[in-house]
Amino acid sequence: MQPSERFINERKRAWQRLEVLLRSLGRSSIRGLRREEVRELGRIYRRTAADLAIARAESRDPRLINYLNNLVIRAHGLIYRSNITLVANVRLLLEFFTKSFPQTFRRTWRYTAIAFVTFAAFALAAYIGSWRDPEFSEFAGVNPLFRYAINAHIHWWEKVNDANQVWSVGIMANNIWVMFQAFAFGAFLGIGTLYSMAFNGALIGAVLALTHRAGFGFDLITFMVGHSVIELSCIFLAGGAGLLIGSAFLLPGDMSRGDALRTRGLEAIRLIIGCVPLLIVAGTIEGFISPAPMNPIIKFSIGITTGIALYSYLLLAGRGEETRERATLK
């Protein structure tokens, strides 16, 4: 009997058992096995992987090598797919929100600041212009019919945001759409992002001026304050992400434009991903709390509390890791 035949005869029962276990699971996870079978699967997988190494080193039979290779790949995928799903993905998610996202915000805060300044400048200009002349609001994007509704003393914001789950989901979707729009416009050399910031800022400034001028006082601000700190912060972060993309084209620095786009693009994507759950929180507040008939002090308290919590998180989370990294580099 040749050595290769002896090798096959000695090991084939283990390989056949591994095939049986893999067939019994199909596309399901190893949670479908009993504890003893899980241990057996791991033991036979390791032995088969060692057999594959031996076959590659000593055997010239390509069919045997191909058979063992396929068997090991199938077992590896099944074992580690379950491990990644249950453990690694959770760990990566936690690491992203406790370290990567806030650290990215701190590294790129200048781009976010530019987005904020653009938004605020146009909001202030539109507020002043619309306060002096209501028709100026049309230049800021306010529909004339909308202006007439304000003059008719209709609390339009309460009609739009009825406190129910359907509207809350719609609000979240709209907020996420505005955020992605500000980000995507960064591909137009950042000019599109600046336009998005300017347009949204002017629109909000003009609407605030019209409602204040019509005698609503601070009703609209009271409605907005609970959710707007998180919501507007996410829009500024999305604007910063868009400017990161634009800057890679215009100001790549010492890197090539391709390298700058890859590096800053990853930073921008982190900002966008981090904003999505924040916008879900903002949309929930806007759909359920903002239109509710409650004391304005409560709504202002919610706005202040969420603002403090958000920026404490963005400014402080993951700082210990950064300190350790700097100490290691030194």
Side-chain angles (χ1 to χ4, degrees):
M1 183 180 294
Q2 295 182 359
S4 60
E5 293 178 356
R6 188 182 306 113
F7 175 74
I8 292 172
N9 290 333
E10 289 175 354
R11 308 298 177 97
K12 67 179 180 180
R13 291 181 63 182
W15 304 338
Q16 290 169 348
R17 176 57 181 163
L18 182 56
E19 279 193 280
V20 170
L21 290 172
L22 293 175
R23 272 200 305 269
S24 67
L25 287 172
R27 292 183 176 275
S28 61
S29 71
I30 60 175
R31 289 192 296 273
L33 296 176
R34 297 190 303 274
R35 182 176 299 179
E36 298 78 14
E37 290 177 324
V38 172
R39 290 173 180 166
E40 183 185 15
L41 175 64
R43 184 174 64 254
I44 299 176
Y45 161 71
R46 290 190 295 271
R47 182 184 298 173
T48 305
D51 291 342
L52 173 61
I54 294 170
R56 282 174 171 164
E58 299 180 1
S59 174
R60 296 186 178 182
D61 186 349
R63 290 178 300 175
L64 174 62
I65 294 172
N66 187 56
Y67 166 74
L68 293 176
N69 187 59
N70 288 335
L71 201 57
V72 168
I73 288 173
R74 286 169 58 198
H76 180 277
L78 181 67
I79 294 169
Y80 289 96
R81 182 179 66 214
S82 300
N83 184 55
I84 289 171
T85 300
L86 294 174
V87 179
N89 281 352
V90 173
R91 187 181 300 129
L92 287 173
L93 196 63
L94 289 174
E95 186 173 339
F96 175 80
F97 284 105
T98 58
K99 297 176 186 177
S100 299
F101 175 48
Q103 288 172 354
T104 300
F105 165 77
R106 292 193 291 271
R107 283 194 300 269
T108 62
W109 69 268
R110 291 175 180 82
Y111 296 93
T112 303
I114 292 171
F116 165 73
V117 169
T118 303
F119 180 98
F122 278 84
L124 181 61
Y127 183 93
I128 295 171
S130 300
W131 173 261
R132 292 180 176 177
D133 181 6
E135 292 187 2
F136 182 86
S137 63
E138 295 180 26
F139 291 101
V142 177
N143 191 306
L145 295 176
F146 183 73
R147 179 157 54 90
Y148 297 144
I150 293 174
N151 290 334
H153 263 256
I154 299 173
H155 281 220
W156 52 270
W157 54 87
E158 294 178 0
K159 302 293 183 183
V160 172
N161 293 81
D162 290 334
N164 59 66
Q165 293 179 347
V166 175
W167 273 114
S168 182
V169 172
I171 292 162
M172 293 177 201
N174 179 71
N175 292 340
I176 291 172
W177 165 246
V178 171
M179 181 189 71
F180 274 107
Q181 191 178 51
F183 164 64
F185 281 176
F188 297 99
L189 305 181
I191 297 172
T193 296
L194 292 175
Y195 168 79
S196 179
M197 293 296 102
F199 175 81
N200 284 287
L203 185 62
I204 290 176
V207 169
L208 285 172
L210 291 176
T211 53
H212 198 186
R213 183 186 173 91
F216 286 105
F218 294 102
D219 288 355
L220 181 55
I221 293 177
T222 300
F223 168 80
M224 292 173 59
V225 69
H227 63 268
S228 62
V229 176
I230 297 177
E231 184 176 292
L232 291 177
S233 295
C234 287
I235 290 175
F236 302 149
L237 285 167
L243 293 176
L244 274 166
I245 299 296
S247 71
F249 290 108
L250 294 176
L251 301 168
D254 296 332
M255 295 183 287
S256 67
R257 282 183 171 79
D259 289 340
L261 185 59
R262 280 190 292 272
T263 302
R264 296 177 196 174
L266 285 173
E267 299 276 63
I269 290 170
R270 289 190 194 103
L271 291 176
I272 294 298
I273 293 173
C275 283
V276 171
L278 295 176
L279 282 179
I280 292 174
V281 173
T284 302
I285 296 172
E286 188 174 359
F288 289 91
I289 296 176
S290 296
M294 61 176 62
N295 193 316
I297 294 176
I298 298 176
K299 295 184 179 181
F300 275 91
S301 298
I302 291 172
I304 293 169
T305 301
T306 55
I308 292 173
L310 174 61
Y311 284 95
S312 296
Y313 161 65
L314 291 175
L315 295 173
L316 300 176
R319 278 202 176 275
E321 190 71 19
E322 289 175 332
T323 303
R324 284 191 292 272
E325 287 177 0
R326 284 195 292 268
T328 302
L329 290 174
K330 290 179 181 179

